[in-house]
Amino acid sequence: MKRRTFLRNTGLAAAWATFQHQGLAINPMAQVPFNRALAEGGNSNDRVLVLIELNGGNDGLNTFIPIDQMDHLAINRPQVLIPENLTLKLNGTIKNALHPSMPEFRDLFNDAKMSVVQNVGYPNQDYSHFRSMDIWMTGANSDQYLETGWAGRYMQSLHPSFPDGYPNAQTPDPLAIQISPIVSLTLMGNTFPVGIGIVDPTFDYDFVPDTEVPPSTPYGYELEYVRLVTRQAQKYYDAVKGAADAGQNLANYPDGNPLAQNLKVVAQLISGGLSTPIYIVSLGGFDTHSDQVDGTFGNAEGNHANLLRTLSEAVGAFQKDLEMLGLADRVAGMTFSEFGRTIASNASKGTDHGAAAPLFVFGKNVIPGIIGDNPEIPDNPIVSYDVAMQHDFRSVYASALKDWFGVANPEEILGNVYPILPIFKAAASGTHVVDKANSLEVSNFPNPFHSSTTFTFTLENTGFVVITLVDMAGRELKTVAEGTYPTGTHRVIFNRNELPNGHYFYQVKVNGKMVTKHLVVN
């Protein structure tokens, strides 16, 4: 993408990337007005969604245990099996139980504040951590590579003019916040991340003032743009600090629990009046190929037990805090992990990369219970055997968009129609229609190419279109096409002529909305 490429390939790279300021990592460029987009319809009820990433691939069979499959589990995973007498029983079911390290999750389930979606995954599982997490963050198919996140696409379709005029009286706060030095692909829009990353919300961020007059050159124009976004960053961080100063926590959070401390920040910011509707926190360490259990106490202790205890204690404290603060009606949380683990354990007292796993959604306004069936466990151990997918993870996203945020047509964000699951108590379902007139479909083929390639774009409405070729330093090399095009699909052939081999970008801009994609000449 043009400006992102410019920043990466010039001396301003540090302004785009996360950097250290007085010992704290911050990312001032990761800003877009996510809160206004939701406030204008998708978040008309001020609801908040907190995403909890379990990085590494969580072993779902030892987390939400299918009690009715214990005999087959004992055959397939004797090295890591949790004995039934140690599991935590749940109200209303004799087929499932929780890991003994998760009493807070048990209490949430028994108090009708938790929904468990069974066997969540996607077709044609990719077992790479990085690729699978990309798929979860973007909402892509396993053979599809998307450059935008599912939340980023939603916001980008509503606000193509960002960053001009932001922040403003209607959007004084960040649209999304990740409690991390970096912002994940989930929040990536067409050009910039949709949200900011923070480490310490009480810190006084003070960015370098832009006193030097930029030169009247392409570099100078981009420098001025960087300064614009930096000024916006200052205002967003000021808003975060103001909310942190005004907010409070009433529940006790466990010491030494990093996830709990991050969720404590989230509750503090919400209680301080911040209008941000999406937060992301994470907990790593779930790649338990070895020493998942320590072999004592009936396999109820070990690395996985410690991770689940950290998760359960953190979520329990967070939910209690929301209730004490009077915020429980507005906030829901959801766990996700890039994949589950294999049914069979290995010789190292661990499990390997698998496919589907349970997903937990908690809060006062979730529809409590279990969605789906227990996985079928074979009666003979096969090392690579997977838990089969029952629910596509994009059905969970579609349910959140439609029933939590009130989006009438989540398929416009996710690229396909997915079943809506009974997870959330709908507040304003169907009130927000994504504006298809703002959508812009762009591709080119072949890519890479040698002599020529064809750019293809589809317009929902008549628009003024400009296609430009950009090099890796952010310089515009050539205008490929320019003019008014009617509704429909159009194709423009581009001949390389004397263009050297290498990597380039092309931009397609329609009525102020811009899409940038990678191009290779060989």
Side-chain angles (χ1 to χ4, degrees), residues 362-397:
F362 62 91
K364 186 176 178 180
N365 275 321
V366 303
I367 299 172
I370 302 170
I371 300 173
D373 306 316
N374 277 347
E376 293 186 7
I377 310 301
D379 56 9
N380 58 313
I382 303 173
V383 173
S384 61
Y385 200 90
D386 280 334
V387 172
M389 183 197 81
Q390 183 178 6
H391 297 109
D392 194 301
F393 74 98
R394 290 160 292 195
S395 280
V396 180
Y397 292 169

Side-chain angles (χ1 to χ4, degrees), residues 427-472:
S429 181
T431 62
H432 191 133
V433 179
V434 176
D435 184 5
K436 289 183 65 175
N438 283 331
S439 63
L440 178 58
E441 299 177 14
V442 176
S443 64
N444 79 291
F445 183 84
N447 189 14
F449 74 98
H450 179 67
S451 59
S452 67
T453 188
T454 299
F455 298 109
T456 302
F457 58 93
T458 301
L459 302 180
E460 296 290 344
N461 291 301
T462 298
F464 187 78
V465 178
V466 180
I467 303 177
T468 54
L469 184 69
V470 182
D471 70 8
M472 296 296 288

